């Protein structure tokens, strides 16, 4: 078998036989689409490192408190979903997942953007919405291929200038934070799909003062013009 979905009304652990399926590529242990089920795994077993051929691992909506260091041995992993758990940190070994393109971490208990994420050069989709993140490290500039960054419902008071170096960003959601200003170079993110109603660049729920919301709605050119006018004063 190359794809396996584990179901159980109140799943607490993974059958040990699963880790003998060395050719497994997709492993799903999430009740995400089945509301009648409650999964309550608190720990992803260390034996997960034996599944070296995994490309997709879905463990949303459990009660995970910890991710083992062995996750870093899954060198073929491209998609990892860990939303709706109880994670407060991530292991440094996650930085070894250089094929990882999509990482879901929404609704956990993270308090900062973990440094290992900034080593994931292939990452194109990163969702860390609804945590308690209040700072983003400047090393985020290393995520050169990042296309989608979702940071809704956090506690951000500012964005590092290095966010403006993520020139491949198409979608950036910043709604419901504590942002009062944007970096002066924010208008250089010209690949953002500004769409109507901020659908791909969302600032709603922030006390923005510089630039004000009506300027943000004009897109990158409006933001560049705004900061240029400030420099001339």
């Amino acid at each position: 078998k190359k794809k396996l979905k584990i179901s159980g009304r109140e799943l607490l652990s993974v059958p040990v036989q699963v880790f003998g399926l060395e050719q497994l590529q997709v492993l799903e242990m999430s009740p995400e689409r089945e509301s009648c089920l409650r999964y309550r795994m608190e720990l992803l077993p260390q034996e997960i490192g034996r599944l070296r051929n995994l490309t997709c691992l879905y463990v949303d909506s459990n009660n995970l408190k910890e991710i083992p260091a062995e996750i870093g041995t899954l060198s073929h992993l491209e998609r990892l979903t860990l939303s709706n758990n109880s994670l407060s940190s991530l292991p440094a070994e996650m930085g070894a997942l250089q094929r990882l393109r999509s990482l879901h971490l929404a609704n956990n208990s993270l308090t900062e953007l973990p440094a290992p994420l900034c080593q994931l050069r292939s990452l194109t989709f990163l969702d860390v919405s609804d945590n308690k993140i209040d700072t983003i490290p400047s090393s985020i500039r290393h995520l050169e291929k990042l296309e989608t960054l979702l940071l809704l419902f956090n506690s951000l008071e500012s964005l590092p200038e290095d966010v403006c170096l993520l020139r491949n960003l198409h979608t950036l959601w910043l709604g419901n934070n504590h942002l009062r200003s944007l970096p002066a170079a924010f208008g250089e993110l010209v690949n953002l799909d500004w769409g109507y109603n901020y659908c791909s660049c969302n600032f709603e729920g922030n006390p923005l003062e510089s630039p004000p919301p009506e300027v943000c709605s004009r897109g990158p050119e409006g933001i560049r013009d705004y900061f240029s006018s400030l420099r001339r004063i």
Side-chain angles (χ1 to χ4, degrees):
K1 287 192 173 186
K2 293 189 176 182
K3 182 175 181 179
L4 177 64
K5 175 176 173 60
I6 297 178
S7 295
R9 188 162 296 278
E10 292 197 1
L11 186 70
L12 293 174
S13 60
V14 185
V16 67
Q17 293 89 339
V18 169
F19 305 112
L21 302 175
E22 297 180 357
Q23 298 307 310
L24 202 61
Q25 294 179 358
V26 179
L27 177 57
E28 184 173 348
M29 299 180 287
S30 169
E32 193 82 340
R33 289 171 290 281
E34 300 176 63
S35 58
C36 62
L37 301 180
R38 277 186 66 198
Y39 290 8
R40 297 186 297 170
M41 278 197 303
E42 293 190 0
L43 180 64
L44 195 62
Q46 295 177 346
E47 289 80 3
I48 193 73
R50 298 179 188 172
L51 303 179
R52 299 294 177 87
N53 288 300
L54 274 187
T55 60
C56 299
L57 178 58
Y58 302 92
V59 210
D60 299 276
S61 301
N62 277 274
N63 192 28
L64 293 177
K65 298 179 177 4
E66 186 179 344
I67 301 298
E70 286 77 7
I71 194 80
T73 66
L74 304 181
S75 58
H76 291 88
L77 204 61
E78 297 178 5
R79 184 177 178 86
L80 176 59
T81 65
L82 296 166
S83 296
N84 304 316
N85 280 289
S86 302
L87 298 171
S88 58
S89 63
L90 298 175
E93 288 79 4
M94 277 188 62
L97 302 178
Q98 290 303 310
R99 294 193 186 184
L100 196 65
R101 298 177 60 83
S102 180
L103 177 59
H104 297 222
L105 291 166
N107 193 24
N108 276 282
S109 300
L110 300 172
T111 57
E112 60 182 357
L113 200 60
L117 303 189
C118 299
Q119 303 170 30
L120 302 177
R121 301 299 177 88
S122 294
L123 202 64
T124 61
F125 185 102
L126 175 57
D127 182 3
V128 286
S129 303
D130 203 7
N131 279 279
K132 300 175 183 177
I133 294 173
D134 55 15
T135 59
I136 302 176
S138 60
S139 53
I140 195 173
R141 66 182 181 274
H142 297 311
L143 299 179
E144 300 162 356
K145 296 183 180 179
L146 196 62
E147 296 178 0
T148 300
L149 176 57
L150 306 185
L151 288 160
L152 294 85
F153 294 99
N154 279 293
S155 302
L156 294 172
E157 296 185 356
S158 63
L159 293 177
E161 288 283 345
D162 287 354
V163 166
C164 304
L165 298 176
L166 302 177
R167 300 297 169 82
N168 286 311
L169 273 183
H170 289 273
T171 302
L172 175 59
W173 287 3
L174 296 165
N176 294 92
N177 278 279
H178 305 311
L179 297 173
R180 293 188 177 278
S181 64
L182 298 177
F186 197 87
E188 302 303 319
L189 297 175
V190 294
N191 286 317
L192 284 177
D193 176 7
W194 287 80
Y196 63 91
N197 198 28
Y198 304 160
C199 69
S200 290
C201 193
N202 180 290
F203 303 104
E204 294 178 357
N206 284 286
L208 271 179
E209 298 173 354
S210 175
E214 60 270 19
V215 171
C216 294
S217 66
R218 300 173 198 160
E221 292 183 3
I223 292 178
R224 282 202 303 270
D225 291 345
Y226 173 83
F227 283 114
S228 294
S229 67
L230 291 183
R231 286 194 290 270
R232 290 195 295 268
I233 296 176

